[in-house]
Amino acid sequence: MATTTITTATKSPLLTDLASTLNHVPSNFIRPINDRPNVHEFQSFSDSIPIIDLQGLDGSNREEIIQKIANACQNYGFFQIVHHGVPEEVVGNMVKVSREFFSLPESERLKNYSDDMSKTTRLSTSFNLKTEKVSNWRDYLRLHCHPLQDYIHEWPANPPSFREDVAEYCKHVRGLSLKLVEAISESLGLERNYIDKALGKHGQHMAINYYPPCPEPGLTYGLPAHTDPNVITILLQNDVAGLQVLKDEKWVTVNPVPNTFIVNIGDQIQVISNDKYKSALHRALVNNEKERMSIPTFYCPSPDALIGPAPQLIDIDHPAQYTNYAYSEYYHNFWNRGLSKTTCVDMFKASN
Ligand code: OGA
Ligand code: NI
């Protein structure tokens, strides 16, 4: 059997330990001068994304909440949710075990390392080392999480409670995702289960993003501007700000609020909604003092699902904006073209 031995002489591809030894950002992380974060503006915007209270979504407040979701999806592509039903303890354990994972000795973390994008469990760095020109100030662990029994045995076995804590979190967030997808479907005037059905046998992936402190945060990104390729993303962040959302051509910082999740519309909802809803550009900045962690759950269509604008949202005034395509084709393009401000949806525009 082929085994890989990682000796101390091998240079680690990971950023986390290296970052703490650096006084300057290495040249491969430095963005061109016209594409750098404006760290001075970071805290100056008072505008933020809407906060929606989900209490009563299954009861008397449903209509009102759905209206708020519709407004948020149209105007921001992003919202925060409170009273989302995921127990604080489950969220707390998820954050704790993630921090523990990234505190393991590097040799232990490296057992999970791979830059092969087709692997369903992998620790990696930046975004896609094989295709990108400039690296990002991030390490990340990506996991497939549904159906759980197909993937859980691949997940890190260390820290010892990792599989149990993450599985518990995944199950709860899955329930929440299904509810949100139904609410979004209704908010578009579609049948409650329209989107659910359009996705086929849907998948669920997650990432644990770890952004080490950075000596020169004005030169690089944790993640540069991009839209998410999936259906919806439910993001948990620790108490360190870094996420920014583009709203009316300005970058709005999403300051952490305890016990909330951040929800954003991915490209697939933009397409199904025939451009009524927008998959917003967002990015992650780093800072020179604190480590930042974010844990997005990506809710996705089945690879063979055929995605296109909902026929009910197409008429003479609203012609179809996209051609139909298989999700697998879309996803492949996303990972291979690199994160970019011109989003992947443009490749499937009806006029192309
Ligand atoms: C992502 C993402 C933002 C963040 O992983 O797709 O946008 O705040 N993360 O880490
Ligand atoms: Ni994203």
Side-chain angles (χ1 to χ4, degrees):
M1 200 171 70
T3 54
T4 319
T5 312
I6 293 162
T7 65
T8 45
T10 312
K11 193 170 170 293
S12 165
L14 296 175
L15 174 67
T16 302
D17 286 31
L18 173 71
S20 65
T21 67
L22 298 172
N23 296 321
H24 292 286
V25 166
S27 58
N28 58 311
F29 289 91
I30 300 179
R31 292 266 148 193
I33 204 133
N34 60 353
D35 177 26
R36 292 185 185 168
N38 189 340
V39 283
H40 306 294
E41 280 180 1
F42 187 57
Q43 296 294 355
S44 65
F45 294 120
S46 54
D47 197 8
S48 193
I49 60 174
I51 297 192
I52 301 177
D53 186 338
L54 293 189
Q55 188 134 35
L57 177 63
D58 293 326
S60 53
N61 293 342
R62 188 165 183 85
E63 232 167 89
E64 197 186 317
I65 297 171
I66 285 181
Q67 191 52 49
K68 287 184 182 159
I69 291 177
N71 291 342
C73 291
Q74 243 167 23
N75 299 324
Y76 292 84
F78 263 82
F79 51 99
Q80 302 177 79
I81 49 175
V82 287
H83 294 132
H84 45 66
V86 183
E88 245 179 274
E89 190 193 353
V90 172
V91 173
N93 289 343
M94 179 68 222
V95 173
K96 183 164 171 276
V97 84
S98 301
R99 195 179 308 115
E100 284 168 5
F101 176 81
F102 280 96
S103 310
L104 290 172
E106 188 173 75
S107 56
E108 187 61 28
R109 264 176 289 136
L110 276 170
K111 290 178 184 165
N112 305 282
Y113 182 81
S114 172
D115 60 12
D116 174 357
M117 298 289 143
S118 67
K119 281 208 153 178
T120 49
T121 301
R122 62 191 169 88
L123 176 68
S124 193
T125 189
S126 190
F127 176 69
N128 183 348
L129 292 177
K130 290 180 178 161
T131 56
E132 66 201 9
K133 292 198 188 78
V134 185
S135 296
N136 306 305
W137 203 260
R138 145 179 110 140
D139 284 339
Y140 65 100
L141 178 66
R142 254 193 99 90
L143 308 170
H144 283 220
C145 343
H146 184 82
L148 260 178
Q149 68 273 15
D150 290 359
Y151 303 110
I152 194 165
H153 61 276
E154 301 175 355
W155 291 1
N158 196 7
S161 70
F162 187 90
R163 291 179 184 176
E164 192 185 330
D165 291 341
V166 178
E168 202 54 33
Y169 179 79
C170 288
K171 282 188 254 173
H172 278 94
V173 173
R174 183 167 182 81
L176 175 61
S177 308
L178 291 168
K179 275 193 197 180
L180 286 169
V181 165
E182 286 183 352
I184 290 167
S185 206
E186 271 184 58
S187 78
L188 283 164
L190 301 169
E191 296 272 315
R192 189 168 175 157
N193 64 358
Y194 177 88
I195 296 179
D196 183 37
K197 278 207 266 178
L199 305 180
K201 213 167 137 267
H202 8 113
Q204 183 181 344
H205 305 174
M206 76 191 291
I208 305 177
N209 292 319
Y210 186 87
Y211 305 104
C214 175
E216 295 169 297
L219 300 182
T220 192
Y221 289 107
L223 271 178
H226 66 281
T227 62
D228 288 353
N230 47 292
V231 178
I232 58 168
T233 302
I234 299 186
L235 183 107
L236 170 65
Q237 60 177 342
N238 74 347
D239 56 357
V240 180
L243 174 65
Q244 293 190 317
V245 177
L246 194 65
K247 160 77 174 142
D248 302 332
E249 286 162 40
K250 279 190 187 149
W251 288 102
V252 175
T253 300
V254 184
N255 285 313
V257 181
N259 305 319
T260 63
F261 288 116
I262 297 158
V263 180
N264 66 288
I265 296 302
D267 295 347
Q268 305 316 310
I269 297 276
Q270 178 171 322
V271 171
I272 291 170
S273 79
N274 202 24
D275 276 354
K276 196 168 173 193
Y277 289 173
K278 185 124 189 69
S279 172
L281 282 166
H282 55 283
R283 64 186 189 182
L285 271 55
V286 289
N287 73 83
N288 56 16
E289 280 170 27
K290 292 181 180 164
E291 59 181 24
R292 175 164 184 266
M293 272 174 40
S294 75
I295 306 174
T297 293
F298 304 106
Y299 197 69
C300 338
S302 162
D304 61 2
L306 199 63
I307 306 287
Q312 299 88 320
L313 301 176
I314 301 172
D315 59 32
I316 201 139
D317 297 325
H318 307 92
Q321 299 296 314
Y322 303 93
T323 55
N324 294 349
Y325 53 83
Y327 182 62
S328 54
E329 195 187 337
Y330 195 95
Y331 199 61
H332 178 81
N333 278 319
F334 173 78
W335 278 101
N336 288 292
R337 64 199 279 283
L339 294 176
S340 157
K341 284 178 199 157
T342 56
T343 79
C344 204
V345 280
D346 298 334
M347 301 171 85
F348 297 90
K349 275 275 176 194
S351 53
N352 289 344

